[in-house]
């Protein structure tokens, strides 16, 4: 059996599945219920100077008949009194000493930070997470993403925290920036022990066309919020991947953004994370999802022979490279398995209208597809650019395979080509 | 059966007791089913629909929440799309060609999605088509079944004046009088008639052509005549006892069951239905649905030879219907009403001919015997009209235009195709309208009937 336990910047937990700071971690009762389901840790809903929340707060992006492919919220940090929160943190850390109970903080003045770091440590917190990511409501007041977007301020506040904190400090990064490396480096320079990312992405979910009010409707108007859920996973992966491969960045990473299954979690770990955090998937399906997450990940690890999370953390990172390092002589072409093909011709229309028109139909007059009266399309291998599109639209599992063509050419990247280190064969236009 | 003219439907008809087998989908159901559709290129389902509805398009519109646009897509191709959605044997038409069958996954429920969209349009009173600019041409249509309704609608769109003559008091043809109530009830059929007719054509109910007016009258007063007369009454078995009370044609019985509040199956414990086609299967399923305890189909040949759809037979068997294969009826027995049916075993000889062994007859007790061995052809009605050719009881027409051997007579639906489905009648009626339009707009020399 694989060992799922982690030691993340000195914070230990029985598994890498942690709840992200959000509604599922609002109260001690919730977190204890989550722990009973098996969550390895939880980042408490961000504490700060008490705020007021609005109603309504959420809106979702349904897609293809599936609910909540993306979730958007305009909720702020905790709206419960700090005393109540600290009392509950104390109870949780006492009852569940083996879990990674982390307190998320967002304050304005150095004194406020200091006081609340001390109170968190007193309540038994295993670590602190600095919320420099909230993209709505708090940033207008100079907190949240307003900090995360300014590396200098981020570094300064991290410094304040490091002066007081005796427990590990995680800086939570905002994706609402154009480069993820500078704020992450600022966290490192500021002395943080780790980073977590991503917080939500600044967004406007939708417009109600009957009322002409964007959603969620708060008494006749709406505002921008934070986007999260399955839709944001690719964005989060890219940011995590960029930090993980960066030569000078060397803090542990807690991956967040669209994680719903053990596979999602494993991908973040493969890119270099040593813990992951989940919010939307729990808001959608409840704490119970951790049971399959733990089971699935452990079976996967057993199957692959990884004993610990460390064994495979970062294995994919070295294969995530800048474009200019990719081999331009590598070539794949689409191949349709006629036995599996159901004749929907989606590959044809996608390639014709959306790619390079390399797929032909029986009886289309070009003579390129065998005219057998059937509906199975034919890929002209010499025209196929190997873009993948047809295999992405094909509804039948492994019906279109992208097959590697060995052209007997050496590996040549754009970097090598433009620096004169290597040559490339003449480019031939097919269309 | 007496119904006061244009009375509509009385309450308490037997069919009302039979629940819908495929109820209207909820929005959630419809959207999730619509999202399963792959939106195929050159979709095989379209090719399998006799009216060529752009199925992926209407389904996508349901998925995007554009239900009105969806209904228009459907009705543009098939103005009877509302009844078709419920009555089409989709298993052998559109859904039977859905690519999901190739993946051994359930085909898209095209009929139910179609019904979802058209019901939405009906309920909201949405109208998509208007009368064309008047051409001054006038066309008579005989019969108010699906063929004539589709034809009249298209003619009206093209600006012609269409007048339907219908012998019955209720319009809609077999949609009103024949199709199984668990698919479509008479009230819904009449709702469709009203919806289609609202474009602005006339239906004269209770006018039987050949009796109340002659074909010569129609020819004189109109520029063209469309024949949408369907098929005739149930075929007779020509055997003793056939006219006893309790022995009836299946189509006639179904019509009473659907339209006549006086029809009842009270006291009927054992019913026999003779035949192996879709009408026979409908009849047994309806009798079961009405609570008749013992219902048996009596068929002269085996399961493989049955002309009824396998999916319908499977349903019937599931509902507790029994089938007696290889049995030929010899006589209906009884004194003043039916008590049973005498049958003899059959087999096929070396040449493939059916042989009845009359030496070994047996007696099947019954309170009701329905004959479902086909309907007579009505072509005799038009046999006297110069040029109209009749082939095996079907009025022979040009497939592209619906034109008969008489240039001003057109035909479509069951009377021309020998008995298919509502959707075929709708397709053929519309095609004939275009044929008539082509004839009348290229016929430069002939004056409109109105001017003669
Ligand atoms: C029992 C039964 C069940 C069926 N179930 C289905 C089903 O589930 N799905 C399906 O798609 N199809 C079904 N069909 C077939 C379908 O009903 C027909 O194919 C379709 O109705 C044919 O339409 P039509 O307009 O050609 O004829 P009809 O619907 O038969 O209409 C003909 C009309 O012409 C009138 N008429 C005839 N002669 C004259 C005259 N001389 N003067 C004035 N009016 C006249 C008749 O009264 C009738 O109203 C069923 C048929 C039967 C018998
Ligand atoms: C309703 C809601 C409230 C949130 N509140 C906080 C918060 O108080 N502090 C914080 O650091 N992140 C907050 N987040 C962001 C989440 O912790 C997380 O970073 C983000 O949702 C991405 O993860 P996911 O895709 O698993 O949801 C919130 C998210 C949601 C949906
Ligand atoms: S998309 Fe796939 S199943 Fe559809 S026609 Fe192309 S190869 Fe066949
Ligand atoms: S009209 Fe009938 S066959 Fe055509 S798409 Fe609709 S349900 Fe299918
Ligand atoms: S064949 Fe099936 S999946 Fe394809 S368009 Fe038609 S209904 Fe949709």
């Amino acid at each position: 059996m694989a060992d799922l336990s982690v030691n993340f910047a000195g914070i230990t937990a029985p598994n890498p599945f942690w709840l992200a700071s959000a509604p599922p971690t609002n109260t001690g009762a919730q977190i204890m219920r989550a722990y009973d389901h098996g969550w390895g840790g939880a980042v408490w809903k961000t504490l700060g100077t008490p705020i007021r929340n609005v109603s309504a707060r959420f809106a979702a992006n349904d897609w293809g008949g599936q609910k909540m492919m993306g979730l958007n919220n305009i909720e702020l940090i905790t709206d419960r009194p700090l005393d109540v929160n600290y009392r509950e943190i104390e109870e949780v850390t006492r009852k569940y000493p083996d879990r990674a109970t982390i307190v998320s903080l967002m304050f304005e003045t150095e004194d406020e930070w200091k006081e609340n770091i001390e109170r968190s440590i007193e309540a038994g917190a295993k670590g602190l997470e600095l919320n420099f990511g909230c993209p709505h409501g708090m940033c207008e007041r100079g907190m949240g993403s307003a900090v995360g977007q300014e590396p200098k301020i981020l570094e300064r506040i991290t410094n304040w925290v490091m002066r007081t904190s005796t427990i590990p400090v995680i800086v939570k990064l905002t994706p609402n920036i154009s480069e993820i490396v500078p704020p992450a480096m600022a966290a490192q320079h500021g002395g943080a022990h780790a980073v977590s990312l991503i917080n939500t992405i600044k967004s406007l979910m939708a417009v109600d066309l009957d009322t002409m009010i964007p959603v969620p409707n708060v008494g006749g108007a709406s505002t921008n919020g934070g986007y999260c859920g399955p839709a944001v996973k690719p964005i989060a992966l890219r940011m995590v991947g960029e930090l993980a491969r960066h030569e000078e960045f060397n803090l542990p990473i807690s991956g967040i953004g669209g994680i719903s299954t053990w596979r999602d979690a494993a991908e973040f770990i493969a890119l270099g994370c040593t813990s992951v955090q989940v919010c939307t998937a729990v808001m959608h399906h409840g704490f119970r999802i951790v049971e399959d997450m733990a089971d699935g990940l452990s079976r996967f690890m057993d199957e692959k022979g990884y004993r610990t999370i460390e064994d495979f953390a970062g294995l994919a990172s070295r294969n995530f490279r800048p474009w200019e390092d990719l081999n331009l002589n590598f070539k794949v072409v689409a191949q349709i398995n006629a036995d599996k093909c159901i004749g929907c011709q989606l590959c044809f229309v996608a390639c014709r209208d959306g790619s390079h028109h390399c797929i032909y139909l029986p009886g289309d007059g070009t003579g390129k597809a065998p005219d057998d009266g059937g509906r199975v399309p034919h890929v002209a291998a010499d025209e196929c650019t190997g873009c993948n599109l047809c295999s992405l639209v094909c509804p039948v599992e492994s019906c279109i395979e992208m097959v590697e063509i060995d052209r007997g050419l050496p590996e040549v990247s754009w970097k090598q080509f433009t620096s004169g280190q290597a040559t490339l064969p003449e480019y031939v236009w097919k269309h | 059966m007496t119904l006061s003219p244009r009375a509509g439907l009385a309450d308490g008809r037997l069919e009302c007791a039979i629940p819908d087998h495929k109820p209207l989908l909820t929005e959630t159901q419809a959207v999730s089913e619509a999202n399963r559709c792959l939106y195929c290129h050159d979709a095989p389902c379209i090719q399998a629909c006799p009216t060529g509805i752009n199925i992926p398009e209407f389904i996508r519109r349901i998925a995007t929440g554009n239900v009105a646009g969806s209904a228009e897509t459907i009705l543009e191709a098939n103005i009877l799309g509302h009844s078709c959605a419920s009555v089409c044997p989709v298993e052998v038409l559109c859904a039977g060609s859905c690519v999901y069958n190739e993946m051994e996954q359930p085909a898209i429920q095209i009929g139910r999605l179609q019904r979802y969209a058209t019901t939405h349009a009906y309920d909201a009173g949405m109208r998509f088509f208007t009368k064309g600019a008047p051409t001054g041409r006038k066309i008579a249509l005989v019969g108010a079944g699906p063929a004539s309704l589709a034809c009249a609608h298209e003619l009206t769109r093209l600006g012609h004046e269409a007048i339907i003559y219908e012998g019955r008091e209720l319009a809609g043809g077999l949609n009103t009088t024949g199709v199984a109530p668990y698919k479509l009830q008479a009230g819904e059929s009449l709702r469709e008639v009203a919806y289609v007719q609202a474009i602005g054509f006339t239906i004269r109910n209770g006018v039987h052509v050949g009796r109340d007016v002659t074909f010569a009258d129609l020819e004189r007063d109109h520029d063209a005549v469309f024949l949408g007369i369907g098929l005739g009454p149930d075929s007779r078995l020509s055997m003793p006892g056939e006219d006893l009370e309790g022995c009836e044609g299946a189509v006639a019985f179904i019509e009473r069951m659907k339209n006549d509040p006086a029809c009842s199956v009270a006291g009927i414990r054992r019913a026999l239905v003779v035949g192996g086609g879709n009408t026979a299967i409908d009849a047994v399923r309806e009798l079961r649905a009405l609570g008749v305890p013992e219902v048996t189909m009596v068929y002269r040949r085996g399961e493989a030879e049955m002309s009824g759809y396998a999916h319908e037979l499977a349903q019937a068997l599931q509902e507790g219907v029994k089938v007696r294969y290889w049995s030929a009826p010899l006589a209906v027995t009884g004194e003043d009403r039916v008590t049973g049916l005498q049958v003899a075993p059959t087999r096929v000889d070396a040449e493939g001919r059916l042989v009845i062994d009359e030496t070994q007859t047996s007696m099947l007790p019954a309170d009701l015997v329905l004959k479902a061995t086909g309907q007579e052809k009505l072509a005799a009605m038009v046999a006297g009209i110069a040029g109209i050719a009749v082939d095996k009881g079907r009025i022979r027409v040009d497939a592209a235009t619906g034109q008969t051997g008489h240039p001003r007579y057109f035909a479509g639906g069951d009377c021309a195709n020998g008995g298919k489905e509502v959707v075929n009648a709708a397709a053929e009626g519309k095609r004939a309208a275009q044929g008539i339009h082509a004839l009348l707009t290229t016929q430069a020399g002939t004056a409109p009937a109105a001017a003669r």
Side-chain angles (χ1 to χ4, degrees), chain B residues 268-273 287 292 294-297 366-369:
Chain B
I268 294 180
R269 301 203 41 79
R270 279 178 294 214
L272 299 174
V273 177
L287 289 169
V292 176
E294 213 176 287
V295 181
T296 311
M297 250 171 102
D367 317 307
L368 178 70
V369 174

Side-chain angles (χ1 to χ4, degrees), chain B residues 237 239 271-277 280-281 284 295-302 306 313 321-330 340-346 362-366 368-373:
Chain B
L237 291 173
M239 64 174 60
L272 299 174
V273 177
V274 180
I281 302 179
V284 289
V295 181
T296 311
M297 250 171 102
V298 180
Y299 182 49
R300 295 194 302 172
R301 294 172 185 265
M306 261 171 88
L313 178 67
V321 165
K322 305 225 159 41
V323 191
R324 193 181 166 104
Y325 293 109
W326 302 109
S327 302
L330 295 183
L341 182 71
Q342 191 186 28
V343 296
T346 57
S362 42
M363 192 59 155
L364 309 177
L368 178 70
V369 174
L370 296 182
K371 299 171 287 183
T373 55

Side-chain angles (χ1 to χ4, degrees), chain A residues 205-240:
Chain A
M205 182 49 75
V207 174
D208 180 330
L209 291 175
D210 291 324
T211 60
M212 289 295 166
I213 303 167
V215 297
N217 178 345
V218 182
S222 193
T223 189
N224 55 281
Y227 197 41
C228 52
V232 311
K233 183 185 136 197
I235 297 166
L237 276 179
R238 191 274 294 180
M239 292 187 163
V240 162

